[in-house]
Amino acid sequence: MTDQHGPLEGVTVLDLTEHIAGPYCTKLFADFGADVIKVEPPGGDPSRSVGPWYQGMPGVERSGTFFYFNTNKRSLVLDLEHDGAGTVIERLIQRADIVIESQPVGRLDSLGLGWERISSLRDDLPLVSISPFGLDSPYRDYRISDLVLYGFAGEMYSIGVQDREPVKMFGTASLVECGAAAATATMGALTAAELQGIGQQVDFAMADAQFNGVDRRHAATMGWEFAGRKSLRAPGPAAGMLSGVYPCADGYVEFSGAAIRIPRLNDMLGRPDWLQEEKWWRPGAGVIPELVEEFNAHFLPWALERTKREIWAEAREAKVLCGPLFSVDELFEDTHFSDRGFWATANHSELGDVQLPGRPLIMPASPWSLRRPPPLLGEHTDDVLSECGFEASEIEAMRRSELIG
Amino acid sequence: MALPLEGFRVLDLTVVWAGTFGTTLLADLGAEVIKVENVHVWQPMTRGGQARPSAEVVKAGAGWAVGYPNAEPGPRPWNYAPTFVQQFRNKHSMTVDLLSDEGREIFANLVSKSDALVENNASGTLEKLGIGPDFLREAREDIVVLRMPAYGSNGPYRFARALGVHLESVMGHTLLRGYPDLDPSYITSIFSGDYVAGAHAAFAIMSALRHRRRTGEGQFIELAQAECAGGMLAQAFMDYSMNGVVQERIGNRSLDGRAPYGLYPARSEGDGSDAGDRWISISVMDDDQWLGLREAMGDPEWARDPGLRNEAGRLERHDELDGHISEWTSSQDDYELMHLLQSHGVPAAPVLDSSRVHDDPHVQHRDLNEPLDLYDDVGTFRYNRPFLRYSETPLRIRKPPVALGEDNEYVYLDVLGYSNTEIEGLRERGHIGMDYDPEIP
């Protein structure tokens, strides 16, 4: 029988992260079996105060953003600015296997809760600090948004078209990239702690994760370094023989360099007579402007007679790189993903059953699981403190002094 | 102290970016990652668009695609493709002809000495090569295998060919980004699907190795890249799930209604002529930051309008604000604007094109690059270093980005235990080499 608790069962994470990147990192830990104790300030993680709101009504337990990024975690409300916070954090540290934080650089240190304190209590406990620019950068106190981060350190400059401004990805995508990389950094630290007893600080800079990640910035800087060649935005919409987004009967489909494998493109289009001419089959034909124009004159009517699903089915059969542009409602209704079990449902005590994207990957012997919905604010304060050995009377006193909530 | 993954051996059958980034992270962390390659088979988009691009091709395209060293194809272009070479650091490369029985035997031997294997080939590729799950399990019972099909190993889309951008279109990302006032055909490619899939791959391998330590059990992990990309679209998914709302494109504006939020024209020192344009991003996240922006701008009269003091008022008049702010930024240096705005607590930074990355003070201070000579002598260039920073187990470039077959001797001799005579035979039978077949274009 497989272990149904996930590969990180038995790991206790002390989670002092907020907003998107840090919480995505700790969500992966929680969803794969770790006990993640999320320390929230009075009033809650700032992601509780952004939408989308359940049924359009704001509320601390109604944020769709908080909902997604905090499944399987337990919430403890603790005022880190309060004099008594150190005592509670110390006990939490004693029970933790790893600490992850995304507070403003230097905040925990100034509260006496930073690396110095942690390493003096436990020499085998790793601390992962997630920050925009790292702990020692000349920009360490600078602030970011997803836009500022992606524009500066990601490859945003070359996304979009030349006579317009560069344009970013959806929502907080760049922060989720960073959160996923931070989870890798954290797993590395946890592995070193478990195998070698190493406690250490991991200085995770989101800017570094963009500059040196794989989101094409690595390639654009290499092209500049190697050849002094810049990577610029495209001159206009879809160009080349099937590269880009094209209209069809009921929406749009995307292709990438389809003419590079002309036999497959030929199959997809049903081997039409016009495409049998030798000129299309010469290497490099796909970038000759006159040929591209002629090709499009044949291709566009073909596409406009077909739905995106029909075109994608032809492309799949012919092994042509292609994807239909689905809207979110079309994706939710798509049976490929629902039949595979991609969507999950969390039962929330205030909101009822809520559907959300499920596992990012399938690990059959130690599976992802939704063991609990995102926590109510402070839902587990008493449980966690009592597990840490505090008496009910002590907890009551902490609550009266507004140390906890 | 040893690196976190020292002592683990990972076989790398990855292509393009997603899988390759995953094994790069594992290699940075200390695993011995061995790329298993074949000199008789050209994997498109793995060591370049073509094995031997012509001088014309190298001359014509974008920097990130064909900006080869010194703008020349060089002796072995596949070792220097700008699109891929940054994901080859800290890895080993061996070659074996997996299309032959002998090759599969060699590979089985290698699997038996390895902890994990990562692959993101088109669905069914391993099965076609005869090295599918049964073969791998037989070679090593507790092997951890991570496969990264675009849409999963079952269902109608399982054989769909895809790069990251296609599967993100399917997941809804393409219709959720781009210029809201232009037709969707103006939406150009992004590459975030590769990033998240690669980062999850490294996380998953380490997690599964932990599970193996506790139970002795290996496993076959399936990472459907489309599903893995879901987290990036969480707010749009939750809005539909909670409210039935299908979100629309908002370009560079804030998902949370922050305002002003966008890119504004700016200038910079030096030659921007062939890049044309400079931009600064500005994100005002709350009313205090709005006051900060006003101060930074010298509190012009238009900004003192009481109707702009709260976010709702600013959001309603976002276009008008954009016009005023653009007027203020357009004559100013982008880095100076960054420092000025940040000193007033306002998130802001230049939108850097690739030519400016190496000169940035942050990039220099954090040592994000290192000059290296690779296998063939084409000159010294700066390559990305590992970007994860550990205080006690510092990651570094232990091996420069690896050339095709560069570690054949180490792998065949030291890992697999073949004799020099046997290796000669293997070389003659086409397993061992450092050049793709001459007829491969």
Side-chain angles (χ1 to χ4, degrees):
Chain A
M1 188 57 210
T2 54
D3 175 352
Q4 291 300 313
H5 298 286
L8 303 179
E9 194 213 3
V11 174
T12 300
V13 177
L14 177 56
D15 178 4
L16 296 154
T17 69
E18 291 179 348
H19 196 226
I20 304 289
Y24 189 70
C25 165
T26 58
K27 171 186 164 70
L28 284 178
F29 274 76
D31 288 357
F32 282 101
D35 179 17
V36 174
I37 297 165
K38 182 180 178 74
V39 176
E40 298 193 69
D45 182 330
S47 69
R48 289 185 184 271
S49 44
V50 296
W53 304 110
Y54 185 76
Q55 292 177 352
M57 275 168 47
V60 77
E61 309 298 350
R62 304 177 73 85
S63 161
T65 300
F66 182 86
F67 199 103
Y68 176 76
F69 287 101
N70 292 283
T71 47
N72 284 323
K73 301 177 189 176
R74 299 199 290 167
S75 166
L76 163 91
V77 169
L78 176 68
D79 181 1
L80 293 176
E81 308 278 347
H82 194 290
D83 287 343
T87 319
V88 176
I89 289 287
E90 258 182 37
R91 295 267 187 103
L92 291 167
I93 283 170
Q94 294 302 345
R95 299 181 66 254
D97 297 296
I98 195 153
V99 184
I100 312 176
E101 62 99 1
S102 68
Q103 303 293 313
V105 171
R107 178 168 190 244
L108 291 181
D109 293 327
S110 69
L111 294 170
L113 304 172
W115 176 236
E116 205 175 312
R117 176 82 159 269
I118 291 171
S119 54
S120 73
L121 291 167
R122 292 268 306 273
D123 62 6
D124 60 345
L125 184 66
L127 166 67
V128 180
S129 292
I130 300 170
S131 65
F133 294 99
L135 303 177
D136 63 354
S137 166
Y139 308 150
R140 62 188 172 276
D141 298 323
Y142 283 8
R143 298 175 179 184
I144 58 161
S145 64
D146 69 286
L147 171 71
V148 171
L149 173 72
Y150 190 56
F152 180 69
E155 189 51 25
M156 182 173 172
Y157 185 88
S158 62
I159 296 173
V161 292
Q162 275 169 17
D163 60 354
R164 289 288 297 264
E165 70 280 13
V167 64
K168 75 180 191 74
M169 304 191 285
F170 169 76
T172 53
S174 59
L175 304 181
V176 173
E177 290 178 338
C178 292
T184 292
T186 306
M187 251 338 273
L190 182 67
T191 305
E194 290 193 337
L195 292 179
Q196 304 181 61
I198 298 173
Q200 59 180 325
Q201 186 167 25
V202 184
D203 172 12
F204 184 91
M206 291 193 259
D208 297 0
Q210 289 288 322
F211 276 124
N212 285 23
V214 82
D215 196 345
R216 199 163 56 106
R217 172 121 287 198
H218 66 106
T221 47
M222 200 75 250
W224 170 256
E225 173 75 1
F226 273 163
R229 186 128 6 121
K230 294 177 184 179
S231 297
L232 307 177
R233 296 191 293 289
M241 253 157 78
L242 292 199
S243 275
V245 173
Y246 295 83
C248 61
D250 62 342
Y252 296 86
V253 285
E254 176 147 26
F255 290 93
S256 293
I260 293 169
R261 289 170 179 268
I262 196 83
R264 294 183 180 183
L265 185 58
N266 188 31
D267 286 347
M268 184 187 87
L269 296 172
R271 308 183 182 189
D273 291 341
W274 62 269
L275 193 51
Q276 308 318 310
E277 278 186 62
E278 193 261 341
K279 64 182 179 187
W280 304 107
W281 296 66
R282 279 180 226 144
V287 295
I288 299 170
E290 305 79 61
L291 278 185
V292 171
E293 203 178 319
E294 193 183 335
F295 181 88
N296 284 339
H298 291 290
F299 171 72
L300 287 174
W302 181 89
L304 288 168
E305 278 170 10
R306 289 165 173 79
T307 65
K308 55 192 161 196
R309 285 186 175 280
E310 286 167 353
I311 292 173
W312 194 28
E314 299 283 355
R316 290 201 302 271
E317 185 67 28
K319 300 181 179 173
V320 170
L321 284 169
C322 172
L325 271 61
F326 281 168
S327 56
V328 170
D329 52 330
E330 288 173 320
L331 180 73
F332 269 73
E333 287 152 18
D334 189 278
T335 53
H336 174 91
F337 294 101
S338 53
D339 289 352
R340 275 177 51 79
F342 173 56
W343 303 103
T345 300
N347 184 265
H348 187 273
S349 63
E350 293 194 9
L351 309 180
D353 282 347
V354 175
Q355 195 182 11
L356 74 165
R359 75 283 191 279
L361 51 95
I362 300 167
M363 213 182 271
S366 50
W368 182 98
S369 64
L370 195 53
R371 305 182 306 288
R372 45 170 106 237
L376 304 176
L377 180 61
E379 182 179 351
H380 307 96
T381 301
D382 287 41
D383 290 352
V384 171
L385 292 177
S386 108
E387 288 163 24
C388 287
F390 289 107
E391 302 291 336
S393 57
E394 292 176 287
I395 296 172
E396 191 45 45
M398 289 182 208
R399 185 163 277 119
R400 272 199 311 275
S401 76
E402 297 184 344
L403 169 61
I404 60 166
Chain B
M1 270 172 282
L3 291 175
L5 297 185
E6 206 161 313
F8 291 101
R9 180 173 293 141
V10 178
L11 299 185
D12 182 350
L13 272 67
T14 66
V15 295
V16 200
W17 280 349
T20 313
F21 183 47
T23 51
T24 299
L25 291 166
L26 296 170
D28 285 353
L29 286 162
E32 183 182 277
V33 172
I34 301 175
K35 283 172 68 66
V36 179
E37 309 193 68
N38 189 341
V39 296
H40 308 296
V41 177
W42 176 251
Q43 298 262 35
M45 300 299 286
T46 296
R47 279 185 173 272
Q50 295 170 281
R52 297 177 172 89
S54 66
E56 290 71 45
V57 167
V58 170
K59 205 163 286 172
W64 70 281
V66 288
Y68 283 88
N70 313 307
E72 288 165 13
R76 292 183 171 114
W78 52 82
N79 294 333
Y80 292 91
T83 323
F84 304 102
V85 68
Q86 301 265 37
Q87 307 306 325
F88 296 164
R89 67 170 176 268
N90 287 331
K91 295 181 180 178
H92 293 66
S93 168
M94 65 90 73
T95 59
V96 57
D97 183 8
L98 285 178
L99 298 172
S100 70
D101 288 340
E102 185 176 54
R104 281 184 288 273
E105 207 176 292
I106 293 165
F107 185 63
N109 190 355
L110 192 54
V111 172
S112 75
K113 295 176 163 63
S114 300
D115 300 287
L117 180 150
V118 184
E119 70 101 3
N120 63 324
N121 298 274
S123 291
T125 302
L126 296 197
E127 284 76 3
K128 265 184 236 158
L129 287 169
I131 56 168
D134 294 343
F135 172 96
L136 295 171
R137 250 188 236 106
E138 195 174 318
R140 170 114 184 194
E141 200 188 341
D142 66 351
I143 188 89
V144 170
V145 175
L146 174 70
R147 307 186 72 175
M148 304 169 72
Y151 301 99
S153 61
N154 58 8
Y157 307 154
R158 70 185 180 282
F159 292 121
R161 299 296 165 104
L163 297 174
V165 68
H166 308 108
L167 57 92
E168 288 208 63
S169 284
V170 169
M171 296 308 281
H173 197 163
T174 307
L175 282 177
L176 286 166
R177 63 184 181 84
Y179 308 105
D181 56 324
L182 294 181
D183 183 85
S185 59
Y186 281 82
I187 303 172
T188 61
S189 296
I190 54 165
F191 306 89
S192 49
D194 298 87
Y195 193 117
V196 291
H200 282 78
F203 171 83
I205 288 286
M206 287 188 275
S207 301
L209 288 172
R210 181 177 193 271
H211 178 78
R212 193 186 71 174
R213 288 200 292 282
R214 299 169 74 230
T215 64
E217 187 180 31
Q219 60 184 311
F220 280 64
I221 306 164
E222 176 177 318
L223 186 162
Q225 293 182 44
E227 295 172 350
C228 196
M232 290 190 291
L233 309 173
Q235 294 94 335
F237 289 167
M238 296 313 291
D239 210 358
Y240 186 75
S241 151
M242 289 179 154
N243 302 313
V245 170
V246 178
Q247 292 191 358
E248 312 238 312
R249 286 178 283 154
I250 55 172
N252 289 330
R253 292 207 172 157
S254 157
L255 202 56
D256 303 325
R258 307 299 185 220
Y261 201 98
L263 298 195
Y264 302 91
R267 305 172 72 87
S268 77
E269 279 179 29
D271 176 21
S273 55
D274 66 334
D277 47 357
R278 293 286 183 242
W279 305 88
I280 176 127
S281 62
I282 300 176
S283 297
V284 169
M285 309 294 277
D286 56 35
D287 295 343
D288 284 345
Q289 293 183 6
W290 168 245
L291 293 177
L293 176 61
R294 279 175 54 181
E295 273 176 33
M297 293 189 295
D299 209 15
E301 187 167 349
W302 64 264
R304 285 178 235 157
D305 184 338
L308 298 175
R309 275 185 204 151
N310 64 57
E311 200 162 71
R314 294 194 297 276
L315 190 58
E316 198 174 307
R317 292 160 62 185
H318 207 310
D319 290 340
E320 179 192 330
L321 293 186
D322 285 350
H324 286 300
I325 296 168
S326 296
E327 246 171 70
W328 176 67
T329 57
S330 60
S331 61
Q332 302 198 60
D333 178 85
D334 53 5
Y335 267 101
E336 281 171 23
L337 280 169
M338 174 199 198
H339 300 313
L340 174 69
L341 287 163
Q342 291 279 3
S343 74
H344 287 90
V346 180
V351 180
L352 293 184
D353 84 64
S354 51
S355 72
R356 304 173 78 195
V357 169
H358 286 116
D359 297 329
D360 179 78
H362 169 89
V363 171
Q364 293 186 348
H365 185 88
R366 300 277 291 180
D367 288 329
L368 291 180
N369 300 285
E370 182 175 330
L372 297 167
D373 297 305
L374 310 198
Y375 188 83
D376 297 302
D377 182 20
V378 300
T380 307
F381 296 100
R382 291 168 290 188
Y383 297 84
N384 285 356
R385 300 182 71 223
F387 62 90
L388 306 179
R389 285 272 200 107
Y390 294 81
S391 61
E392 301 300 314
T393 59
L395 311 187
R396 56 193 178 80
I397 298 185
R398 310 187 305 284
K399 264 170 75 59
V402 73
L404 176 72
E406 188 177 335
D407 301 291
N408 274 325
E409 191 178 318
Y410 164 72
V411 173
Y412 279 96
L413 215 57
D414 298 343
V415 178
L416 297 174
Y418 289 98
S419 70
N420 281 314
T421 325
E422 287 170 313
I423 288 173
E424 253 342 284
L426 293 169
R427 188 186 308 279
E428 277 159 28
R429 293 192 292 282
H431 295 291
I432 298 177
M434 293 191 74
D435 292 279
Y436 286 102
D437 285 352
E439 63 270 21
I440 291 175

